Amino acid sequence: PRNASELGVGVSSDRGARLFARYTRRNVLGRAHRADLNSFVGLQDLRADAFELRAAASYTAPRLLLDKHQLTADLLLQERLV
């Protein structure tokens, strides 16, 4: 499929509650490029004042100059409040 998404929820004794989401877009601009967006929110010990946020974006352009070259750009944001 050209677009894919995923959503999940979890709880564990050592990491607390967490929520994650992922979205992938394939064949961006009709050139076989790929874009991915990921996010994660966690509440440690189920306390609202101790949470973690992660967000990431990635863009991959295969065969950029020649068939054997590929460009990948990543951006990551991480915040932790305790």
Side-chain angles (χ1 to χ4, degrees):
R2 185 174 184 164
N3 298 310
S5 58
E6 183 178 359
L7 188 64
V9 177
V11 177
S12 68
S13 60
D14 63 334
R15 304 262 330 229
R18 60 196 177 281
L19 170 70
F20 74 90
R22 180 171 63 193
Y23 174 76
T24 300
R25 171 78 185 235
R26 295 178 188 90
N27 201 25
V28 176
L29 303 173
R31 303 191 65 188
H33 294 194
R34 177 182 170 136
D36 293 295
L37 300 172
N38 296 289
S39 62
F40 170 91
V41 176
L43 291 173
Q44 189 159 0
D45 298 328
L46 302 178
R47 294 186 346 238
D49 62 342
F51 82 94
E52 178 180 4
L53 168 68
R54 284 185 273 168
S58 177
Y59 190 85
T60 303
R63 300 181 302 278
L64 187 63
L65 298 174
L66 299 171
D67 283 344
K68 60 183 175 181
H69 291 97
Q70 174 175 302
L71 172 71
T72 301
D74 294 311
L75 177 65
L76 175 65
L77 168 71
Q78 183 167 350
E79 183 74 32
R80 181 176 291 190
L81 297 176
V82 179

Coordinates of all heavy atoms in Angstrom, one line a residue:
P1 N 0.8 -1.2 0.0 CA 0.0 0.0 0.0 C 0.9 1.3 0.0 O 2.0 1.3 0.5 CB -0.8 -0.1 1.3 CG -0.1 -1.0 2.1 CD 0.7 -2.0 1.2
R2 N 0.4 2.3 -0.6 CA 1.1 3.6 -0.6 C 1.2 4.3 0.7 O 2.2 4.9 1.0 CB 0.4 4.5 -1.6 CG 1.2 5.7 -1.9 CD 0.5 6.5 -3.0 NE 1.4 7.7 -3.3 CZ 1.3 8.4 -4.3 NH1 0.4 8.1 -5.3 NH2 2.1 9.4 -4.5
N3 N 0.1 4.2 1.5 CA 0.1 4.8 2.8 C -0.1 3.7 3.9 O -0.8 2.8 3.7 CB -1.0 5.8 3.0 CG -0.9 6.9 2.0 OD1 0.2 7.6 2.0 ND2 -1.9 7.2 1.3
A4 N 0.6 3.8 5.0 CA 0.4 2.9 6.1 C 0.5 3.6 7.4 O 1.2 4.6 7.6 CB 1.5 1.8 6.1
S5 N -0.4 3.2 8.3 CA -0.4 3.8 9.7 C -0.6 2.8 10.7 O -1.1 1.7 10.5 CB -1.5 4.9 9.8 OG -2.8 4.3 9.5
E6 N -0.1 3.1 11.9 CA -0.1 2.2 13.0 C -0.3 3.0 14.3 O 0.3 4.0 14.5 CB 1.2 1.4 13.1 CG 1.3 0.3 14.1 CD 2.6 -0.4 14.0 OE1 3.4 -0.2 13.2 OE2 2.8 -1.3 14.9
L7 N -1.1 2.4 15.2 CA -1.4 3.1 16.5 C -1.3 2.0 17.6 O -1.8 0.9 17.3 CB -2.7 3.8 16.4 CG -3.1 4.6 17.6 CD1 -2.2 5.9 17.7 CD2 -4.6 5.1 17.4
G8 N -0.7 2.3 18.7 CA -0.6 1.3 19.7 C -0.6 1.9 21.1 O -0.3 3.1 21.3
V9 N -1.0 1.1 22.1 CA -1.1 1.5 23.5 C -0.5 0.4 24.3 O -0.7 -0.8 24.0 CB -2.5 1.7 23.9 CG1 -2.6 2.1 25.4 CG2 -3.2 2.8 23.1
G10 N 0.2 0.7 25.3 CA 0.8 -0.3 26.2 C 1.0 0.1 27.6 O 1.0 1.3 27.9
V11 N 1.1 -0.8 28.5 CA 1.4 -0.6 29.9 C 2.4 -1.6 30.4 O 2.2 -2.8 30.1 CB 0.1 -0.6 30.8 CG1 0.4 -0.4 32.2 CG2 -1.0 0.3 30.3
S12 N 3.4 -1.2 31.1 CA 4.3 -2.1 31.7 C 4.7 -1.6 33.1 O 4.5 -0.5 33.5 CB 5.6 -2.2 30.8 OG 6.3 -1.1 30.9
S13 N 5.2 -2.6 33.9 CA 5.5 -2.2 35.3 C 6.8 -1.3 35.4 O 6.9 -0.6 36.4 CB 5.7 -3.5 36.1 OG 6.8 -4.3 35.6
D14 N 7.7 -1.4 34.5 CA 8.9 -0.6 34.6 C 8.9 0.7 33.8 O 9.6 1.6 34.1 CB 10.1 -1.4 34.2 CG 10.1 -1.9 32.7 OD1 9.0 -2.0 32.2 OD2 11.1 -2.1 32.1
R15 N 8.0 0.8 32.7 CA 8.0 2.0 31.9 C 6.7 2.8 32.0 O 6.6 3.9 31.5 CB 8.2 1.6 30.4 CG 9.4 0.9 30.1 CD 10.6 1.6 29.6 NE 10.3 2.8 28.9 CZ 10.9 3.1 27.7 NH1 11.7 2.2 27.2 NH2 10.6 4.2 27.1
G16 N 5.7 2.2 32.7 CA 4.4 2.9 32.8 C 3.6 2.7 31.5 O 3.7 1.8 30.7
A17 N 2.6 3.7 31.3 CA 1.8 3.7 30.2 C 2.4 4.4 29.0 O 3.2 5.3 29.2 CB 0.4 4.4 30.5
R18 N 2.1 3.9 27.8 CA 2.7 4.5 26.6 C 1.7 4.5 25.4 O 0.9 3.6 25.3 CB 4.0 3.9 26.2 CG 3.9 2.4 26.0 CD 5.3 1.8 26.0 NE 5.3 0.4 25.8 CZ 4.9 -0.5 26.8 NH1 4.6 -0.1 28.0 NH2 5.0 -1.8 26.5
L19 N 1.9 5.4 24.5 CA 1.1 5.5 23.3 C 2.1 5.8 22.2 O 3.0 6.6 22.3 CB 0.1 6.6 23.4 CG -0.7 7.0 22.2 CD1 -1.7 5.9 21.8 CD2 -1.4 8.3 22.4
F20 N 1.9 5.1 21.0 CA 2.8 5.4 19.9 C 1.9 5.4 18.6 O 0.9 4.8 18.5 CB 3.9 4.4 19.8 CG 3.5 3.0 19.3 CD1 3.5 2.7 17.9 CD2 3.1 2.0 20.1 CE1 3.1 1.5 17.4 CE2 2.8 0.8 19.7 CZ 2.8 0.5 18.3
A21 N 2.5 6.1 17.7 CA 1.8 6.2 16.3 C 2.9 6.3 15.3 O 4.0 6.8 15.5 CB 0.9 7.5 16.3
R22 N 2.6 5.7 14.1 CA 3.5 5.7 13.0 C 2.8 5.9 11.7 O 1.7 5.3 11.5 CB 4.3 4.4 12.9 CG 5.3 4.4 11.8 CD 6.3 3.3 11.8 NE 5.5 2.0 11.7 CZ 6.1 0.8 12.0 NH1 7.3 0.8 12.4 NH2 5.4 -0.3 11.9
Y23 N 3.3 6.7 10.8 CA 2.7 6.9 9.5 C 3.8 6.8 8.4 O 4.9 7.4 8.6 CB 2.0 8.3 9.4 CG 1.5 8.6 8.0 CD1 0.4 8.0 7.5 CD2 2.2 9.5 7.2 CE1 -0.1 8.3 6.2 CE2 1.8 9.8 5.9 CZ 0.6 9.2 5.4 OH 0.2 9.4 4.2
T24 N 3.6 6.1 7.4 CA 4.5 5.9 6.3 C 3.9 6.2 5.0 O 2.8 5.8 4.7 CB 5.1 4.4 6.3 OG1 5.7 4.1 7.5 CG2 6.1 4.2 5.1
R25 N 4.6 7.0 4.2 CA 4.1 7.3 2.8 C 5.2 6.8 1.9 O 6.3 7.2 1.9 CB 3.9 8.8 2.7 CG 3.6 9.3 1.3 CD 2.2 9.1 0.9 NE 2.0 9.5 -0.4 CZ 1.0 10.3 -0.8 NH1 0.2 10.8 0.0 NH2 0.9 10.6 -2.1
R26 N 4.8 5.9 1.0 CA 5.7 5.4 0.0 C 5.5 6.1 -1.4 O 4.4 6.6 -1.6 CB 5.5 3.9 -0.1 CG 5.8 3.1 1.1 CD 5.6 1.6 0.9 NE 5.7 0.9 2.2 CZ 4.7 0.7 3.1 NH1 3.5 1.2 2.8 NH2 5.0 0.1 4.2
N27 N 6.4 6.0 -2.2 CA 6.4 6.6 -3.6 C 6.0 8.0 -3.6 O 5.2 8.5 -4.3 CB 5.4 5.8 -4.4 CG 5.6 6.0 -5.9 OD1 6.7 6.3 -6.3 ND2 4.6 5.8 -6.7
V28 N 6.7 8.8 -2.7 CA 6.5 10.2 -2.6 C 6.9 10.9 -3.9 O 8.0 10.6 -4.4 CB 7.3 10.8 -1.4 CG1 7.2 12.3 -1.4 CG2 6.8 10.2 -0.1
L29 N 6.1 11.8 -4.4 CA 6.4 12.5 -5.7 C 6.5 11.5 -6.9 O 7.1 11.9 -7.9 CB 7.6 13.3 -5.6 CG 7.6 14.4 -4.5 CD1 9.0 15.1 -4.4 CD2 6.5 15.4 -4.7
G30 N 6.0 10.3 -6.7 CA 6.1 9.3 -7.8 C 7.5 8.9 -8.1 O 7.8 8.4 -9.2
R31 N 8.5 9.0 -7.2 CA 9.9 8.7 -7.4 C 10.4 7.7 -6.5 O 11.6 7.6 -6.3 CB 10.7 10.0 -7.3 CG 10.2 11.1 -8.2 CD 11.1 12.2 -8.3 NE 12.3 11.8 -8.9 CZ 13.4 12.5 -9.0 NH1 13.4 13.7 -8.5 NH2 14.5 12.1 -9.5
A32 N 9.6 6.9 -5.9 CA 10.0 5.8 -5.0 C 10.6 6.3 -3.7 O 11.3 5.6 -3.0 CB 11.0 4.8 -5.7
H33 N 10.5 7.6 -3.4 CA 10.9 8.2 -2.1 C 10.0 7.7 -1.0 O 8.8 7.3 -1.3 CB 10.9 9.7 -2.2 CG 11.9 10.2 -3.2 ND1 12.3 11.5 -3.2 CD2 12.6 9.6 -4.2 CE1 13.2 11.7 -4.1 NE2 13.4 10.6 -4.8
R34 N 10.5 7.8 0.2 CA 9.7 7.3 1.4 C 9.8 8.3 2.5 O 10.9 8.8 2.8 CB 10.2 5.9 1.8 CG 9.5 5.3 3.0 CD 10.2 4.0 3.4 NE 9.7 3.6 4.6 CZ 9.3 2.3 4.9 NH1 9.4 1.4 4.0 NH2 8.9 2.0 6.1
A35 N 8.6 8.6 3.1 CA 8.6 9.5 4.3 C 8.0 8.7 5.5 O 7.0 8.0 5.3 CB 7.8 10.7 4.0
D36 N 8.6 8.8 6.6 CA 8.1 8.1 7.9 C 8.0 9.2 9.0 O 8.9 10.0 9.2 CB 9.1 7.0 8.3 CG 9.2 5.9 7.3 OD1 8.2 5.2 7.2 OD2 10.2 5.7 6.8
L37 N 6.9 9.1 9.7 CA 6.7 9.9 10.9 C 6.4 9.0 12.1 O 5.5 8.1 11.9 CB 5.6 10.9 10.7 CG 5.7 11.9 9.6 CD1 4.4 12.6 9.4 CD2 6.8 12.8 9.8
N38 N 7.1 9.1 13.2 CA 6.9 8.3 14.4 C 6.8 9.2 15.6 O 7.4 10.2 15.7 CB 8.1 7.4 14.6 CG 8.3 6.4 13.5 OD1 7.6 5.5 13.3 ND2 9.4 6.6 12.7
S39 N 5.9 8.8 16.5 CA 5.8 9.5 17.8 C 5.5 8.5 18.9 O 5.0 7.4 18.7 CB 4.6 10.5 17.7 OG 3.4 9.8 17.5
F40 N 5.9 8.9 20.1 CA 5.8 8.1 21.3 C 5.6 9.0 22.5 O 6.3 10.0 22.6 CB 7.1 7.3 21.5 CG 7.2 6.6 22.8 CD1 6.8 5.3 22.9 CD2 7.8 7.2 23.9 CE1 6.9 4.6 24.1 CE2 7.9 6.6 25.1 CZ 7.5 5.3 25.2
V41 N 4.6 8.7 23.3 CA 4.4 9.4 24.5 C 4.3 8.4 25.6 O 3.5 7.4 25.5 CB 3.0 10.2 24.5 CG1 2.8 10.9 25.8 CG2 3.1 11.3 23.4
G42 N 5.0 8.6 26.7 CA 5.0 7.7 27.8 C 4.8 8.4 29.1 O 5.3 9.5 29.4
L43 N 4.0 7.8 30.0 CA 3.8 8.3 31.4 C 4.4 7.3 32.4 O 3.9 6.2 32.5 CB 2.3 8.5 31.7 CG 1.6 9.6 31.0 CD1 0.1 9.5 31.3 CD2 2.1 10.9 31.4
Q44 N 5.5 7.7 33.0 CA 6.1 6.7 33.9 C 5.3 6.7 35.3 O 5.0 7.8 35.8 CB 7.5 7.1 34.2 CG 8.3 6.1 34.9 CD 9.8 6.2 34.7 OE1 10.2 7.1 34.0 NE2 10.5 5.3 35.3
D45 N 5.1 5.6 35.8 CA 4.3 5.4 37.0 C 3.0 6.0 37.0 O 2.4 6.4 38.0 CB 5.1 5.9 38.2 CG 6.4 5.2 38.4 OD1 6.5 4.0 38.1 OD2 7.4 5.8 38.8
L46 N 2.4 6.2 35.8 CA 1.1 6.8 35.6 C 1.0 8.2 36.2 O -0.1 8.6 36.6 CB 0.0 5.9 36.1 CG 0.0 4.5 35.4 CD1 -1.1 3.6 36.0 CD2 -0.2 4.6 33.9
R47 N 2.1 8.9 36.3 CA 2.1 10.3 36.9 C 2.2 11.3 35.7 O 3.0 11.2 34.9 CB 3.3 10.5 37.8 CG 3.2 9.7 39.1 CD 4.3 10.0 40.0 NE 5.4 10.8 39.5 CZ 6.7 10.5 39.5 NH1 7.1 9.3 39.9 NH2 7.6 11.3 39.0
A48 N 1.3 12.3 35.7 CA 1.3 13.3 34.6 C 2.5 14.2 34.7 O 2.8 14.8 33.7 CB 0.0 14.1 34.7
D49 N 3.2 14.2 35.8 CA 4.4 15.1 35.8 C 5.7 14.4 35.5 O 6.8 15.0 35.5 CB 4.5 15.7 37.2 CG 4.8 14.6 38.3 OD1 4.5 13.5 38.1 OD2 5.2 15.0 39.4
A50 N 5.6 13.1 35.1 CA 6.8 12.4 34.6 C 6.5 11.7 33.3 O 6.1 10.6 33.2 CB 7.1 11.3 35.7
F51 N 6.6 12.5 32.2 CA 6.3 11.9 30.9 C 7.5 12.1 30.0 O 8.4 12.9 30.2 CB 5.0 12.5 30.3 CG 5.2 13.9 29.7 CD1 5.4 13.9 28.3 CD2 5.2 15.0 30.4 CE1 5.6 15.1 27.7 CE2 5.3 16.2 29.7 CZ 5.5 16.3 28.4
E52 N 7.4 11.3 28.9 CA 8.5 11.3 27.9 C 7.8 11.4 26.5 O 6.8 10.8 26.3 CB 9.2 10.0 28.0 CG 10.3 9.8 27.0 CD 11.0 8.5 27.1 OE1 10.6 7.6 27.9 OE2 12.0 8.3 26.3
L53 N 8.4 12.3 25.7 CA 7.9 12.5 24.4 C 9.0 12.3 23.4 O 10.1 12.8 23.6 CB 7.3 13.9 24.2 CG 7.0 14.4 22.8 CD1 5.8 13.6 22.3 CD2 6.7 15.9 22.8
R54 N 8.8 11.5 22.3 CA 9.7 11.3 21.3 C 9.0 11.4 19.9 O 7.9 10.9 19.8 CB 10.4 9.9 21.3 CG 11.4 9.8 22.4 CD 12.1 8.5 22.3 NE 11.3 7.5 23.1 CZ 11.5 6.2 23.1 NH1 12.3 5.7 22.3 NH2 10.7 5.5 23.9
A55 N 9.6 12.2 19.0 CA 9.0 12.3 17.7 C 10.2 12.2 16.7 O 11.3 12.7 16.9 CB 8.3 13.6 17.5
A56 N 10.0 11.5 15.6 CA 11.0 11.3 14.6 C 10.4 11.4 13.2 O 9.3 11.0 13.0 CB 11.7 10.0 14.8
A57 N 11.2 12.0 12.3 CA 10.8 12.1 10.9 C 12.0 11.6 10.1 O 13.1 11.9 10.4 CB 10.4 13.5 10.5
S58 N 11.7 10.8 9.0 CA 12.7 10.3 8.2 C 12.3 10.4 6.7 O 11.1 10.2 6.4 CB 13.0 8.8 8.5 OG 14.0 8.3 7.7
Y59 N 13.2 10.7 5.8 CA 12.9 10.8 4.4 C 14.1 10.1 3.7 O 15.2 10.4 3.9 CB 12.9 12.3 4.0 CG 12.4 12.4 2.6 CD1 11.0 12.5 2.3 CD2 13.2 12.5 1.5 CE1 10.5 12.6 1.0 CE2 12.8 12.7 0.2 CZ 11.4 12.7 0.0 OH 10.9 12.8 -1.3
T60 N 13.7 9.2 2.8 CA 14.7 8.4 2.1 C 14.4 8.6 0.6 O 13.3 8.4 0.1 CB 14.5 6.9 2.4 OG1 14.7 6.7 3.8 CG2 15.6 6.1 1.7
A61 N 15.5 8.9 -0.1 CA 15.5 9.1 -1.6 C 16.4 8.1 -2.2 O 17.6 8.4 -2.2 CB 15.8 10.5 -2.0
P62 N 15.9 7.0 -2.7 CA 16.8 6.0 -3.4 C 17.2 6.5 -4.8 O 16.6 7.3 -5.4 CB 16.0 4.7 -3.4 CG 14.6 5.2 -3.5 CD 14.6 6.5 -2.7
R63 N 18.4 6.0 -5.2 CA 18.9 6.3 -6.5 C 18.9 7.8 -6.8 O 18.4 8.3 -7.8 CB 18.1 5.5 -7.6 CG 18.1 4.0 -7.4 CD 17.3 3.3 -8.5 NE 15.9 3.7 -8.5 CZ 14.9 3.2 -7.8 NH1 15.2 2.4 -6.8 NH2 13.7 3.6 -7.9
L64 N 19.5 8.5 -5.8 CA 19.4 10.0 -6.0 C 20.3 10.5 -7.1 O 19.8 11.2 -8.0 CB 19.9 10.6 -4.6 CG 19.8 12.1 -4.6 CD1 18.3 12.5 -4.7 CD2 20.4 12.7 -3.3
L65 N 21.5 10.1 -7.2 CA 22.4 10.6 -8.3 C 22.6 9.4 -9.3 O 22.5 9.6 -10.5 CB 23.7 11.1 -7.8 CG 23.6 12.4 -6.9 CD1 24.9 12.8 -6.3 CD2 23.0 13.5 -7.7
L66 N 23.0 8.3 -8.7 CA 23.2 7.1 -9.5 C 22.4 6.0 -8.9 O 21.9 6.1 -7.7 CB 24.7 6.7 -9.5 CG 25.6 7.8 -10.2 CD1 27.1 7.4 -9.9 CD2 25.4 7.9 -11.6
D67 N 22.3 4.8 -9.5 CA 21.5 3.7 -9.0 C 22.0 3.2 -7.6 O 21.3 2.7 -6.8 CB 21.5 2.6 -10.0 CG 20.6 2.8 -11.1 OD1 19.7 3.7 -11.0 OD2 20.7 2.1 -12.1
K68 N 23.3 3.4 -7.3 CA 23.8 2.9 -6.1 C 23.9 3.9 -5.0 O 24.3 3.6 -3.9 CB 25.2 2.3 -6.3 CG 26.2 3.3 -6.8 CD 27.6 2.6 -7.1 CE 28.5 3.6 -7.7 NZ 29.8 2.9 -8.0
H69 N 23.4 5.1 -5.2 CA 23.4 6.1 -4.1 C 22.0 6.3 -3.5 O 21.0 6.2 -4.2 CB 23.8 7.5 -4.7 CG 25.3 7.5 -5.1 ND1 25.7 7.3 -6.4 CD2 26.4 7.7 -4.3 CE1 27.0 7.4 -6.4 NE2 27.4 7.6 -5.2
Q70 N 22.0 6.6 -2.2 CA 20.7 6.8 -1.5 C 20.9 7.9 -0.5 O 22.0 8.0 0.2 CB 20.3 5.5 -0.8 CG 19.1 5.7 0.1 CD 18.6 4.4 0.7 OE1 18.3 3.5 -0.1 NE2 18.6 4.3 2.0
L71 N 20.0 8.8 -0.4 CA 20.0 9.9 0.6 C 18.9 9.6 1.7 O 17.8 9.3 1.3 CB 19.7 11.2 0.0 CG 19.5 12.4 1.0 CD1 20.9 12.7 1.6 CD2 18.9 13.6 0.3
T72 N 19.3 9.6 2.9 CA 18.4 9.5 4.1 C 18.6 10.7 5.0 O 19.7 10.9 5.4 CB 18.6 8.2 4.8 OG1 18.5 7.1 3.9 CG2 17.6 8.0 5.9
A73 N 17.5 11.3 5.3 CA 17.6 12.4 6.3 C 16.7 12.1 7.5 O 15.5 11.7 7.3 CB 17.1 13.7 5.6
D74 N 17.2 12.3 8.7 CA 16.5 11.9 9.9 C 16.4 13.1 10.8 O 17.4 13.9 10.9 CB 17.1 10.8 10.7 CG 17.1 9.5 9.9 OD1 16.0 9.1 9.4 OD2 18.1 8.8 9.8
L75 N 15.3 13.3 11.5 CA 15.2 14.4 12.5 C 14.5 13.7 13.7 O 13.6 13.0 13.6 CB 14.2 15.5 12.0 CG 13.9 16.6 12.9 CD1 15.2 17.4 13.2 CD2 12.8 17.5 12.3
L76 N 15.1 14.0 14.9 CA 14.6 13.4 16.2 C 14.5 14.4 17.2 O 15.3 15.3 17.4 CB 15.7 12.3 16.6 CG 15.4 11.7 18.0 CD1 14.1 10.8 17.9 CD2 16.5 10.8 18.4
L77 N 13.4 14.4 17.9 CA 13.1 15.2 19.1 C 12.8 14.3 20.3 O 12.0 13.4 20.1 CB 11.9 16.1 18.8 CG 11.3 16.9 20.0 CD1 12.3 18.0 20.4 CD2 10.0 17.5 19.6
Q78 N 13.4 14.6 21.4 CA 13.2 13.8 22.6 C 13.1 14.8 23.8 O 13.9 15.6 24.0 CB 14.2 12.8 22.8 CG 13.9 11.9 24.0 CD 14.8 10.7 24.1 OE1 15.5 10.4 23.1 NE2 14.8 10.0 25.2
E79 N 12.0 14.6 24.5 CA 11.8 15.5 25.7 C 11.4 14.6 26.9 O 10.5 13.7 26.7 CB 10.7 16.5 25.4 CG 10.5 17.5 26.5 CD 11.5 18.5 26.7 OE1 12.1 18.9 25.6 OE2 11.8 18.9 27.8
R80 N 12.0 14.8 28.0 CA 11.6 14.0 29.2 C 11.4 15.0 30.4 O 12.3 15.7 30.7 CB 12.7 13.0 29.5 CG 12.4 12.2 30.8 CD 13.4 11.2 31.0 NE 13.3 10.2 29.9 CZ 14.0 9.0 29.9 NH1 14.8 8.7 30.9 NH2 13.9 8.2 28.9
L81 N 10.3 15.0 30.9 CA 10.0 15.8 32.1 C 9.8 14.8 33.3 O 8.9 13.9 33.3 CB 8.7 16.6 31.9 CG 8.8 17.6 30.8 CD1 7.4 18.3 30.6 CD2 9.9 18.7 31.1
V82 N 10.5 15.0 34.3 CA 10.4 14.2 35.5 C 10.3 15.0 36.7 O 10.9 16.0 36.9 CB 11.7 13.3 35.6 CG1 11.5 12.4 36.9 CG2 11.8 12.4 34.4

